[in-house]
Amino acid sequence: FGMKFENILVERRQGVGLITLDRPQAMNALCAALFDELEYALDELEADDKIGAIMITGNDKAFAAGADIREMKDKTYQDMLADSGLIKNSARLSKCRKPVIAAVAGYALGGGCELAMMCDFIIAAENAKFGQPEITLGTIPGIGGSQRLTRLVGKSKAMDMCLTGRMMDASEAERAGLVSRVEPLESYQQVAMAAAQQIAGYSKPVVTMLKDLVNVALETSLEQGLNAELQQFKATFALDDQKEGMAAFTEKRQPEFKHR
């Protein structure tokens, strides 16, 4: 990587790009510099043909405990309109073409919860706590807290979370549909990495098509979504990987995808 990272750690592991938020002294609070580094790392990992999936994690105490309030507290309305960094770069994660898994332990609050929701799915440790406590600071979520949370958990739960500022534990988050799995604290990162490596082993063009289709389901009518799915399903039959995958199944062997 050409950039020197001070707020994140980045490594490549068997087809997976691993990004670890690394501001332990600030409970991984999100600052403008962190978002700049995250944007750069995502650009690099997306451009790397060997990377098939991305995993984002923090530490056992906090995924990210929110935005860095010290950085924001004195900003004016004009400053926020000028948008110096934090909001401008925050949406990069949600535009990632490769699948992104969030592995969350401890606090994922405010911007931390919003960052996790930008990922394709969340694997949580048993001690994970999610929340949008902006109301307690006299403000509101700014990078998706009111919008993604409502789509993921429904109006009633989202209203409850956003208007009271309360935290949701891992088991409630799983019941509500915010997280896909809850795992023990000692193994949640390994489980997430195994899932990322599993995805990275599949046909990359097929993975891209499938990720796009699940996102289409959130944005369009059922009829439009079903039509898009059918067209993409037919399109997979133009791929060498579909031929290999089905041949491997009938021959009772593991497929060797060529990503074309």
Side-chain angles (χ1 to χ4, degrees):
F1 294 96
M3 186 181 204
K4 185 177 184 296
F5 299 119
E6 296 181 355
N7 299 283
I8 63 175
L9 304 171
V10 187
E11 57 184 294
R12 293 172 170 90
R13 280 194 204 169
Q14 293 174 276
V16 174
L18 174 61
I19 299 173
T20 304
L21 306 181
D22 188 38
R23 297 187 74 210
Q25 75 289 351
M27 298 286 280
N28 289 339
L30 305 171
C31 60
L34 185 148
F35 274 121
D36 286 341
E37 292 177 20
L38 184 60
E39 182 176 35
Y40 181 90
L42 288 169
D43 287 346
E44 290 285 303
L45 293 171
E46 287 227 269
D48 186 343
D49 291 338
K50 295 188 180 71
I51 297 296
I54 296 166
M55 172 178 149
I56 297 186
T57 193
N59 58 49
D60 289 353
K61 291 182 180 175
F63 175 72
D68 194 327
I69 304 305
R70 287 170 303 183
E71 188 176 81
M72 299 175 77
K73 68 182 179 65
D74 295 323
K75 289 190 183 298
T76 64
Y77 177 48
Q78 285 80 4
D79 291 335
M80 298 310 282
L81 279 178
D83 193 8
S84 56
L86 190 64
I87 298 166
K88 174 169 59 75
N89 294 343
S90 64
R92 173 64 181 87
L93 183 58
S94 63
K95 294 177 170 58
C96 203
R97 296 300 310 281
K98 294 178 179 179
V100 185
I101 300 173
V104 175
Y107 297 109
L109 304 177
C113 187
E114 290 170 311
L115 193 72
M117 290 191 292
M118 287 180 204
C119 299
D120 294 308
F121 61 97
I122 301 169
I123 292 177
E126 290 168 332
N127 74 337
K129 287 186 164 49
F130 300 87
Q132 298 294 158
E134 288 85 355
I135 190 101
T136 67
L137 302 176
T139 186
I140 64 174
I143 54 173
S146 67
Q147 301 303 301
R148 287 192 177 92
L149 188 65
T150 305
R151 283 165 170 78
L152 289 168
V153 305
K155 176 191 168 184
S156 183
K157 189 78 79 174
M159 283 285 194
D160 178 7
M161 300 291 294
C162 289
L163 292 177
T164 68
R166 77 175 179 88
M167 288 189 285
M168 182 192 287
D169 67 19
S171 61
E172 184 184 357
E174 185 180 31
R175 290 196 307 273
L178 179 62
V179 309
S180 66
R181 316 182 204 178
V182 178
E183 300 289 338
L185 180 60
E186 57 270 20
S187 60
Y188 79 102
Q189 287 187 335
Q190 293 93 309
V191 171
M193 179 56 70
Q197 287 174 339
Q198 186 178 13
I199 292 166
Y202 295 135
S203 168
K204 289 184 177 68
V206 174
V207 166
T208 300
M209 292 160 109
L210 194 47
K211 168 172 167 156
D212 287 348
L213 281 169
V214 175
N215 285 327
V216 162
L218 283 175
E219 305 290 339
T220 62
S221 68
L222 177 61
E223 188 173 358
Q224 288 172 304
L226 288 170
N227 185 54
E229 181 188 72
L230 182 58
Q231 298 311 314
Q232 291 287 63
F233 169 66
K234 291 174 182 174
T236 64
F237 284 75
L239 294 170
D240 292 345
D241 285 340
Q242 173 269 332
K243 300 291 177 285
E244 167 61 14
M246 292 193 175
F249 177 82
T250 58
E251 294 162 18
K252 295 184 171 58
R253 61 175 175 81
Q254 287 296 313
E256 293 182 26
F257 294 122
K258 300 290 193 288
H259 310 294
R260 60 175 185 258

